[in-house]
Amino acid sequence: MGDVLALVEARLRTTLGEPDARAAVTFLGTDRVEVLRFLDGDIVRYATLGMSAAPMTDPTAALADPVKGPRAELVLSVRAGLADTDKVLRPLAVLAASPQVEGLIVAPGASLEVGEPLWPGAPFSSVLVAEGGGLVEDLELDAPMDPVRFLPLLPMTANEAAWKRVKGAQELQERWLAQGTDLRDPLRAGARLD
């Protein structure tokens, strides 16, 4: 477990630079999850560290495989200085702990809900999990372990989350793209969904 997390942290540092802050959260019955903060000009990135320590397991499986199965960490990018986004640390840790706590397999196209604003004043309480491999490349591990995927999170308003449930993740992303939505704006208004 420690070896995987050391490799994950090394990949994050190689890609995003040195973190300027980190916080750790432990939930009862789960392993510790850290959230690292990286500054890149006017963008602040938050990356989880700990979710990939164990593979995610299908909740219907009779026995959890300790080696095989998808592994991931979450990455959120927002514009710095527009909102108190550092308060997202706990919600991110909650999302990263969800595979252990709820038996979820977090994959691209999924919606994750925290039940409260991601940070004070945020119009978002849920995120869309996007495809990995763009910002931070997948981290290959020794066989038979699956690679660690670094999955971007895209904050969604309540209306966008409801629309996504009906129309699907692809339709929502196409709507955002067509409207030129700045998904890194921590105070952005919701997309037009009519």
Side-chain angles (χ1 to χ4, degrees):
M1 175 177 108
D3 293 347
V4 169
L5 294 185
L7 292 170
V8 168
E9 184 168 356
R11 171 60 55 92
L12 288 169
R13 287 173 181 266
T14 301
T15 306
L16 303 176
E18 286 299 310
D20 75 323
R22 67 192 307 149
V25 179
T26 305
F27 302 100
L28 187 63
T30 67
D31 295 324
R32 182 171 109 152
V33 174
E34 290 188 81
V35 179
L36 284 59
R37 183 179 72 187
F38 301 88
L39 293 176
D40 181 12
D42 70 335
I43 302 293
V44 60
R45 301 186 198 285
Y46 301 94
T48 62
L49 179 63
M51 184 176 167
S52 62
M56 294 179 272
T57 319
D58 183 338
T60 62
L63 191 60
D65 189 321
V67 179
K68 291 183 185 176
R71 294 174 189 255
E73 296 291 352
L74 307 175
V75 181
L76 174 70
S77 301
V78 292
R79 296 205 180 286
L82 301 177
D84 187 9
T85 56
D86 282 350
K87 301 285 191 217
V88 78
L89 300 177
R90 185 168 175 73
L92 272 181
V94 168
L95 295 177
S98 62
Q100 287 183 63
V101 174
E102 299 173 38
L104 294 178
I105 294 182
V106 177
S111 300
L112 301 175
E113 171 71 44
V114 294
E116 61 185 37
L118 292 174
W119 50 82
F124 321 105
S125 61
S126 63
V127 293
L128 175 65
V129 181
E131 281 292 337
L135 179 63
V136 183
E137 284 184 38
D138 293 353
L139 174 64
E140 296 293 331
L141 300 174
D142 293 337
M145 292 188 285
D146 289 18
V148 176
R149 302 186 71 201
F150 298 88
L151 302 173
L153 299 180
L154 308 174
M156 294 187 292
T157 65
N159 285 345
E160 289 169 340
W163 202 79
K164 182 258 174 195
R165 281 191 293 276
V166 174
K167 301 282 191 173
Q170 185 66 34
E171 290 280 332
L172 179 59
Q173 289 179 302
E174 287 173 9
R175 181 63 56 112
W176 281 335
L177 189 59
Q179 294 179 21
T181 305
D182 181 1
L183 296 172
R184 294 178 177 170
D185 181 350
L187 301 173
R188 74 171 176 83
R192 290 186 318 279
L193 302 172
D194 45 8

